[in-house]
Amino acid sequence: MAGPLVSRMTKEIRMLQNDPPPGVWAAAKGDKLTELEAQLQGPKDTVYEGGLFSLSVDIPARYPFEPPKVKFVTPVYHPNIDPEGRICLDILNMPPKGAWKPSLNLPTILASIGLLLAQPNPDDGLVTDITAEFRHQRQVFDAKARQWTQRHAMPAARSEDADAAAAAGAAACTGSFHRGLSEGAATGQQQQQAKQQQQEQQDRQSQPQGLPKTATAAAAAAAGDTAGAAANAAGSREKENSQPGLSQGSTAAMAKRQEAGAAAEQAETLPAAAGPAPKRSRLALKK
């Protein structure tokens, strides 16, 4: 921001604070001298009486050689103010269509807008329907303007609007939270079902076709028993083949022992006469 603009804005803001026009309040937004917020009290004995109307003021870089941009923030039912808050006032526009001059200042501008609220200008209307109502159906216009003022510009109405907006925001957040929980639970169930289906498909692919799981298990157990028996038999044969001499020798010795035992038994059972006859003594022969 250039030095002359800072000096000019500092001076005008001080004027608004120390000696504001009747029914006007304005201040800078934070530390920004080129952005202001302002408020106008509804003029007495008009359809806007009792209302408090907020405005935004933006100062261009070439100020005061260009007029500020002023808009209503509060909705106003007025022939010279459109629904976007734009104001049809000659001193807010450059010549030749407008009447802006560098000698004008912010206090003068805001005071002129307050005067426009009290005395609409149907010859330079901005909203055609409202302008026609103001000219030809003044009672209808007055009733609607009062209704808008009570709805949007009264302090109680602003509080109710703020509460309604906060309640709507809280309801939207709560609804989004519950929807998120429901969607999360549904997603978890779908993932679980998908895992179960995938596991079942893997089990079906791993077993032979035409055999149930129990038959497959039984066949596997039988195959294991057969393999175990074959392994034991092979081990016994290997043991016998590794010691052939010992096995043959043991068999021959056992056969010999059996033959000797049989011969001994046969000898014990033979009668005594089979042996040589006993010799008689010589004395017995002499007698």
Side-chain angles (χ1 to χ4, degrees):
M1 187 186 305
L5 179 58
V6 173
S7 177
R8 173 76 180 246
M9 290 304 304
T10 303
K11 179 181 178 180
E12 293 192 13
I13 291 174
R14 188 180 298 114
M15 291 172 60
L16 288 169
Q17 293 176 348
N18 297 335
D19 189 19
V24 174
W25 174 90
K29 291 183 178 179
D31 297 333
K32 297 180 179 180
L33 297 178
T34 57
E35 295 182 12
L36 289 80
E37 53 185 0
Q39 289 183 341
L40 296 178
Q41 292 181 352
K44 293 183 178 181
D45 301 325
T46 68
V47 294
Y48 308 106
E49 182 177 2
L52 187 62
F53 301 89
S54 298
L55 300 92
S56 64
V57 181
D58 293 328
I59 307 299
R62 296 188 69 248
Y63 182 82
F65 301 101
E66 289 184 7
K69 297 178 180 180
V70 185
K71 294 175 63 176
F72 272 90
V73 176
T74 304
V76 186
Y77 196 81
H78 194 284
N80 305 112
I81 303 169
D82 69 5
E84 285 74 29
R86 292 174 295 189
I87 306 168
C88 184
L89 185 64
D90 57 356
I91 63 173
L92 294 178
N93 296 291
M94 293 285 291
K97 293 183 179 181
W100 172 255
K101 294 183 295 186
S103 60
L104 297 174
N105 54 34
L106 292 178
T108 302
I109 293 172
L110 294 176
S112 298
I113 295 174
L115 182 61
L116 184 66
L117 276 180
Q119 300 176 2
N121 181 12
D123 295 332
D124 194 16
L126 186 59
V127 185
T128 304
D129 297 341
I130 299 178
T131 302
E133 245 179 25
F134 180 81
R135 280 180 170 177
H136 306 295
Q137 296 178 311
R138 187 60 180 268
Q139 293 181 351
V140 175
F141 167 81
D142 290 348
K144 290 183 179 180
R146 287 192 181 93
Q147 185 179 9
W148 277 49
T149 301
Q150 293 175 358
R151 180 184 302 173
H152 302 292
M154 294 293 186
R158 289 187 176 188
S159 179
E160 292 176 359
D161 292 342
D163 293 342
C173 293
T174 303
S176 300
F177 176 74
H178 288 301
R179 283 195 300 272
L181 289 179
S182 301
E183 291 175 359
T187 302
Q189 293 178 357
Q190 292 176 358
Q191 292 178 353
Q192 186 66 22
Q193 292 176 357
K195 288 181 180 180
Q196 292 178 356
Q197 293 177 358
Q198 184 179 5
Q199 184 64 34
E200 292 176 357
Q201 185 177 2
Q202 292 177 357
D203 293 341
R204 287 195 298 269
Q205 292 177 356
S206 62
Q207 67 182 16
Q209 296 181 354
L211 290 176
K213 293 183 179 179
T214 54
T216 303
D225 295 341
T226 303
N232 293 332
S236 299
R237 287 195 299 272
E238 289 179 0
K239 185 175 182 181
E240 291 177 359
N241 293 333
S242 63
Q243 297 179 354
L246 179 59
S247 301
Q248 293 177 359
S250 299
T251 305
M254 185 179 295
K256 289 181 180 181
R257 285 196 298 271
Q258 290 177 355
E259 291 178 358
E265 291 178 357
Q266 185 177 4
E268 290 177 358
T269 57
L270 290 176
K279 296 181 180 182
R280 294 181 179 180
S281 66
R282 295 180 176 179
L283 293 177
L285 291 175
K286 289 182 178 181
K287 288 180 179 183

